[in-house]
Amino acid sequence: MKKVYSIAGLKVELTGSYTLQQVTQLPGFDVFEIEDLSDTNADVYIHLDSDINIVNLTNIHRVHHTEMMDIEHTFSRCEEGYIYEMHRQDGSKIVSIVYDLKSNHVFMSPSDCLMSVKYAMWVAFTLSAIEKNVIPIHASSIVKDSEAVMFLGESGTGKSTHTGLWLKYI
């Protein structure tokens, strides 16, 4: 299964089955989906449901480790690229993400936690988008005459709704 999205001017290709089905059920992704009629390659490739074995990666160095909402988040660097992992308090894995610098492809393991899938997708996109000089900010914005208004906030607080209303009435 494959879906193509246009996010921040980047063509993003997602492949997978189980996790891609989860993504299509999450709010907020549908507005970015596009029909892929072009012959151009994607800017970002995210391969969901990948069998990730961290043991096969070389020279792993932990860059950052934190705990939020009883979930451990670890970001590491390796010779091949970057690794991001989420684990529960009992040590069980929620999701692993590997960004391969050489291929500019992101590989993400399946996850049984729908809430974590949305966050993991943001991380997966961010890892390769940065290489394209795009820094994701969770916001909605309007640009007019080289100036912008940006709405920041948590998911579901009305950023896109406000953007739409501004475009319609102001």
Side-chain angles (χ1 to χ4, degrees):
M1 185 175 179
K2 175 176 112 173
K3 293 274 187 182
V4 180
Y5 299 87
S6 178
I7 304 171
L10 299 177
K11 183 177 174 183
V12 181
E13 182 177 297
L14 272 60
T15 56
S17 55
Y18 174 72
T19 306
L20 188 51
Q21 190 65 28
Q22 289 178 309
V23 169
T24 62
Q25 296 171 12
L26 292 168
F29 284 87
D30 56 336
V31 298
F32 298 104
E33 188 174 352
I34 60 171
E35 191 174 347
D36 187 19
L37 299 175
S38 71
D39 290 335
T40 61
N41 292 332
D43 300 298
V44 173
Y45 293 92
I46 302 175
H47 305 281
L48 306 171
D49 305 322
S50 296
D51 183 22
I52 296 174
N53 189 351
I54 304 299
V55 175
N56 294 334
L57 301 174
T58 52
N59 279 341
I60 298 173
H61 301 283
R62 182 185 286 181
V63 175
H64 184 69
H65 179 85
T66 189
E67 189 176 312
M68 292 183 293
M69 298 172 35
D70 295 329
I71 297 174
E72 292 184 25
H73 302 258
T74 305
F75 182 73
S76 303
R77 176 82 167 93
C78 62
E79 282 186 26
E80 295 80 3
Y82 299 98
I83 307 162
Y84 173 79
E85 295 186 292
M86 294 170 64
H87 289 88
R88 294 178 185 86
Q89 290 292 330
D90 66 5
S92 62
K93 180 175 75 172
I94 297 172
V95 70
S96 293
I97 299 169
V98 173
Y99 171 60
D100 182 352
L101 281 168
K102 288 181 184 173
S103 68
N104 193 36
H105 286 232
V106 179
F107 302 90
M108 187 169 120
S109 69
S111 176
D112 61 359
C113 179
L114 189 59
M115 184 175 123
S116 296
V117 167
K118 189 170 187 176
Y119 182 74
M121 287 299 303
W122 183 80
V123 171
F125 172 73
T126 300
L127 288 172
S128 56
I130 288 173
E131 292 294 318
K132 303 289 185 186
N133 295 320
V134 172
I135 299 175
I137 298 172
H138 191 87
S140 185
S141 62
I142 302 166
V143 178
K144 184 174 184 334
D145 300 329
S146 299
E147 293 190 5
V149 175
M150 185 177 291
F151 298 95
L152 302 171
E154 295 293 323
S155 294
T157 58
K159 296 177 299 298
S160 298
T161 300
H162 278 277
T163 301
L165 291 170
W166 277 50
L167 289 171
K168 186 174 181 178
Y169 295 108
I170 297 178

